[in-house]
Every structure is written in C-alpha cells, then in structure tokens.
Amino acid sequence: MDPKEFHWPFSCIYSSLTRFMGPGYRDLASRMAIPDSARNALDLGGGDGRLAITLAEMYPWLQQIVTSDISEGMTRRACRRIVQAEFTSRVSAACQDMHDLPYSEGQFDAVVSFGALHHAKQPGVFLREAYRVLSPGGRFCLIDGYGRPTFGAIHQAV
C-alpha cells in the first residue's frame, strides 16, 4: 500500500492503538531534551499529531511545531487532534513527503521523528532532508525500532 493511501480505516486503527501510548509519548518527548533556545520544531512522519502535541505541552518555549505526514488521512486526524488540544496557535499539520520537504535550509531548531524511518522509501534521502532543514547546532532526535531499514543500509545510503 502506498503511504499516501493510509486513510480510514487504517488511520483509525493506528490512532486507536497509539491512544494507549500516551505516557510513552511523554517519556519520549522528555528524552528529546529540546533546549530552551529552540523556537520551532518539525515532527517528520508525525501521524495523527500526538507527539507534536506532547512537545507543545512539555516545551512551552517552542513557538511553532509542524507535524508532517505523507498520508492525507493522518494529516486530517492530526488537524482535528490539534484543535481538540487547543494548540492551533503553536502546532500545525502538513501533508508532505519526508523525502522532499518544502522548507528552507536550517529552518528548524529541532527535527524529531518517531517510528517513521522504516517507512522511508529512501532512508538516506530522508536523513539528508532532515539535516538540511535543521539549523546549525539544532537538535535531531530519531527513534525507530522497526524492521527496515538496517543501520548498515542507512550508513551506505548516507
């Protein structure tokens, strides 16, 4: 299945499963240790926006957080979740390909990604894009423990 087609019922099932991971998102976000000098963050492969909202709750100094996902269904779910959490002034959702981001070089002080790397068709391109939009000295947090790709494959690609 093409990730762009990840829509209902798949997005509903995914969101139902991640609902049980609420405390886990807080733990992940705390381990990201985003410095108080950071003003904006990009969440790559952000799904239904749970991590972005958690970042907004835990890091009040972040003025702008963009959660990005290739799936229109997940992006719509993220938009609804952002409105429900009342974070529309600081968090937004964008439907975009993590292999070709529409942002300028160094635009984000923090780039985070949880569970998206294994979905990347080209992991090296994904990582290069993440670093391209990261400001010099910015924080990059990548967490992914699923099957593909291997670290050897990533090393070769980068």
Side-chain angles (χ1 to χ4, degrees), residues 42-46 66 68 96 98 101 111-114 116 126 130 140:
L42 174 64
D43 176 17
L44 291 173
V66 178
S68 169
Q96 53 200 208
M98 61 188 164
L101 298 169
V111 175
V112 302
S113 180
F114 171 59
F126 163 78
F140 179 54

Side-chain angles (χ1 to χ4, degrees), residues 31-157:
R31 293 172 189 267
M32 290 177 178
I34 296 174
D36 57 8
S37 60
R39 293 295 169 252
N40 56 25
L42 174 64
D43 176 17
L44 291 173
D48 66 3
R50 289 178 196 269
L51 180 57
I53 291 168
T54 303
L55 292 173
E57 291 168 348
M58 296 184 68
Y59 298 102
W61 53 87
L62 288 174
Q63 298 166 1
Q64 177 197 27
I65 303 164
V66 178
T67 183
S68 169
D69 202 278
I70 196 169
S71 164
E72 291 177 9
M74 294 307 281
T75 303
R76 282 192 300 274
R77 294 184 76 74
C79 288
R80 285 194 298 272
R81 187 171 301 289
I82 291 163
V83 168
Q84 289 170 350
E86 300 180 352
F87 277 115
T88 55
S89 65
R90 294 178 50 219
V91 184
S92 61
C95 186
Q96 53 200 208
D97 186 343
M98 61 188 164
H99 298 89
D100 185 26
L101 298 169
Y103 304 111
S104 60
E105 245 178 72
Q107 186 168 337
F108 292 94
D109 300 322
V111 175
V112 302
S113 180
F114 171 59
L117 180 63
H118 69 279
H119 291 293
K121 290 181 179 179
Q122 298 174 301
V125 173
F126 163 78
L127 292 171
R128 282 192 293 276
E129 275 294 277
Y131 276 106
R132 183 184 66 76
V133 301
L134 184 65
S135 65
R139 175 73 51 135
F140 179 54
C141 301
L142 171 71
I143 301 167
D144 199 314
Y146 300 101
R148 126 168 162 60
T150 65
F151 286 110
I154 294 168
H155 179 70
Q156 266 187 328

Side-chain angles (χ1 to χ4, degrees), residues 20-38:
F20 300 107
M21 294 172 47
Y25 280 109
R26 291 194 63 76
D27 184 54
L28 285 172
S30 69
R31 293 172 189 267
M32 290 177 178
I34 296 174
D36 57 8
S37 60

